[in-house]
Each structure stands twice: as structure tokens, then as C-alpha cells.
Amino acid sequence: MAEKKQYPATGRRKQSVARVRLIPGTGVVTINKRPLDEYFGMELLRQEVKRPFVVTETEGKFDVVATVAGGGTTGQAGALRHGISRALCLVDVEAHRPVLKDAGFLTRDPRMKERKKYGLKKARRASQFSKR
């Protein structure tokens, strides 16, 4: 492992952007100056954020300080997972990158909201049809 104080990375999903810093520590995750359990109410989202550590077997070795903006909770959790995965690659490329790549954590999810079309109420939603 390279000797470095912090490992910064950026993760994105949908409209969410997460700026992540990994700091060698005890495994405390802080998001927007709030603990992980307080920021994400759903257990599924908390597990999603911690999955890169589980896959690379680095649980409890790094503290995470993250700033997340935009989107909803699911998108923010995905952005955090992406950012943490990228930061773990900076820690040890040979050990972590193949594992994270196989799990699909380094690929940025390209799915975005479809734009609204004129003449429609939403992207594909038209007004109700009436035969009269």
C-alpha cells in the first residue's frame, strides 16, 4: 500500500455527484457532515455505500468523508459507491481494481432521465385519448 494521507475521488450517478475522500482510519463514514446511519434511513442504501469495502476486504480500514449533491437518495448512494470504488483504486491499483471492475463498481451508470418532448406531458406520457 502506498503511503499517502488522503485519497480523493468523484462518483456520479443520475443527477447526483459525490466528492469522496478516503482517510486511513477506523471505518467511520461521514456524508455532508452527518453519519451514514443518520443520512441514509434505509439499510439497503447503507449496504450499497459499504459494498466496495466488503468486496475488497478493507472494512474498518478507511474513514470516508463525502460531500453529496443533487438527485435523490438512491442516486446519491450509487454516486457514493462509485466514488469510494475509485478512491480504493488509488489506494492499491493491482489489488483492488480487478475486484471492483468485476463487481461493476468502476463503471459509471449511464442511465439518465429522458428529456420531455413538446406536445407531451412528460418524456413519453401523452394526454388521455378521447374518441369524441
Side-chain angles (χ1 to χ4, degrees), residues 34-82:
R34 289 161 57 190
L36 177 68
D37 297 336
E38 188 182 313
Y39 194 81
F40 289 118
M42 293 174 57
E43 181 62 35
L44 188 72
L45 297 178
R46 288 184 229 142
Q47 289 175 352
E48 187 74 12
V49 171
K50 292 179 182 177
R51 276 180 67 195
F53 295 119
V54 174
V55 170
T56 56
E57 299 170 0
T58 54
E59 290 176 278
K61 294 183 181 176
F62 294 99
D63 291 344
V64 178
V65 178
T67 307
V68 186
T73 53
T74 308
Q76 287 185 353
L80 271 168
R81 185 187 79 177
H82 188 225

Side-chain angles (χ1 to χ4, degrees), residues 1-12 18-24 29 49 51-53 56 58 61-67 78-98 100-101 105-107:
M1 234 161 58
E3 292 300 318
K4 201 173 177 185
K5 297 285 182 215
Q6 296 182 355
Y7 303 94
T10 305
R12 294 183 187 89
R19 293 181 352 196
V20 177
R21 282 185 326 200
L22 284 188
I23 304 163
V29 180
V49 171
R51 276 180 67 195
F53 295 119
T56 56
T58 54
K61 294 183 181 176
F62 294 99
D63 291 344
V64 178
V65 178
T67 307
L80 271 168
R81 185 187 79 177
H82 188 225
I84 290 169
S85 300
R86 282 177 150 186
L88 281 170
C89 282
L90 295 175
V91 174
D92 192 357
V93 179
E94 292 82 22
H96 299 316
R97 185 169 172 81
L100 291 166
K101 191 139 179 79
F105 294 165
L106 296 178
T107 306

